Amino acid sequence: MGIRRFVRALPFVGRIAKRPATAKAAVFSTSGAYWEQRYRTGGHSGAGSYNRLGLFKADVLNGFVAANQIRSVIEFGSGDGAQLRLALYPSYTGVDVSHTVLERTRAAFAHDPSIRFLHASEVGPDTKADLALSLDVIYHLVEDDIYDAYMRQLFDAALRFVIVYASNEDKGWPVPHVRHRRFTDWVERHRPDFALVERLPNRYPYDPADARNTSFADFFVFRRA
């Protein structure tokens, strides 16, 4: 059942979450080091996980999970757990590269046996789920080798579907931790066993005058052949 149908049917509801302020700007060296430093110094996962953008993503994903009888979800780049707090998933595995943020989310969700967290290095060939998620991650992978390894891990983990929420064009950006990529070309070349079955434009397309409440990311749904 299509993702577009649900984003039309589900209203924008819920209390707007307050987004914590970043304590100190992280200095960029590598993608992994940037996010470790950002979380260690009090930073969060970014504006896309909060407020109306976070609620938009939750509306779409919760509807998709229910409609397609998804029993398990794995997310690569689980971050600070803000998006997870809005999720309705039967079983969830969160994967991240930051040991700092994993310690926090493990503690925050320790009461829920349906949720677990892994460091990216702990993901093995048997780490699988019906649905694999990548939300606001791909354009933060600025190194080619890290990007390629991430994409392989993401698609290898999916039993049925992959959903990517990202931009999809090759272009630069004025901050060093962002690099936009046309990632669908990578999927066509390396994962012909997955087909792009739907693209859902963002409900709040990017507006440079309101960058915190808008996004250049759209939803892309891939199904295993």
Side-chain angles (χ1 to χ4, degrees):
M1 191 168 292
I3 201 170
R4 187 184 304 274
R5 176 178 173 184
F6 283 92
V7 76
R8 286 199 301 259
L10 291 168
F12 173 69
V13 295
R15 182 172 59 86
I16 300 299
K18 291 186 177 180
R19 182 172 50 84
T22 302
K24 181 181 178 181
V27 177
F28 185 83
S29 57
T30 66
S31 297
Y34 171 84
W35 287 100
E36 177 60 33
Q37 181 190 2
R38 177 164 167 156
Y39 289 127
R40 191 173 60 245
T41 56
H44 53 76
S45 291
S49 298
Y50 292 88
N51 301 315
R52 70 182 190 180
L53 289 172
L55 289 170
F56 163 61
K57 287 152 71 177
D59 279 351
V60 171
L61 294 170
N62 290 340
F64 185 89
V65 166
N68 292 278
Q69 299 180 324
I70 300 297
R71 295 171 296 177
S72 55
V73 175
I74 184 167
E75 181 180 1
F76 289 88
S78 50
D80 60 14
Q83 193 67 56
L84 179 58
R85 290 183 175 89
L86 302 172
L88 300 173
Y89 304 151
S91 174
Y92 174 86
T93 299
V95 179
D96 209 279
V97 297
S98 168
H99 290 285
T100 295
V101 83
L102 287 169
E103 289 177 6
R104 294 177 187 169
T105 51
R106 282 169 178 153
F109 295 93
H111 63 283
D112 191 336
S114 70
I115 294 174
R116 67 169 179 161
F117 294 93
L118 300 174
H119 188 266
S121 63
E122 299 175 300
V123 175
D126 296 328
T127 308
K128 305 283 187 181
D130 285 344
L131 170 62
L133 296 179
S134 173
L135 308 177
D136 286 312
V137 174
I138 288 176
Y139 55 82
H140 287 304
L141 305 176
V142 301
E143 306 94 340
D144 288 339
D145 58 336
I146 299 299
Y147 164 68
D148 183 74
Y150 174 89
M151 294 294 287
R152 294 181 187 279
Q153 196 173 57
L154 173 70
F155 279 82
D156 284 347
L159 295 172
R160 296 174 58 198
F161 296 99
V162 173
I163 294 182
V164 175
Y165 180 79
S167 56
N168 190 41
E169 58 181 326
D170 293 318
K171 68 177 182 180
W173 204 249
V175 292
H177 64 282
V178 172
R179 176 182 174 183
H180 294 281
R181 297 177 183 269
R182 186 173 172 83
F183 73 91
T184 52
D185 289 346
W186 186 98
V187 180
E188 289 177 4
R189 287 195 305 269
H190 300 287
R191 297 310 300 252
D193 52 329
F194 281 87
L196 178 63
V197 294
E198 192 155 16
R199 176 176 181 173
L200 176 67
N202 204 295
R203 184 185 291 169
Y204 308 105
Y206 183 69
D207 179 356
D210 189 17
R212 290 191 176 275
N213 294 298
T214 59
S215 177
F216 39 60
D218 296 328
F219 276 105
F220 298 79
V221 183
F222 299 87
R223 177 186 292 155
R224 184 182 284 275

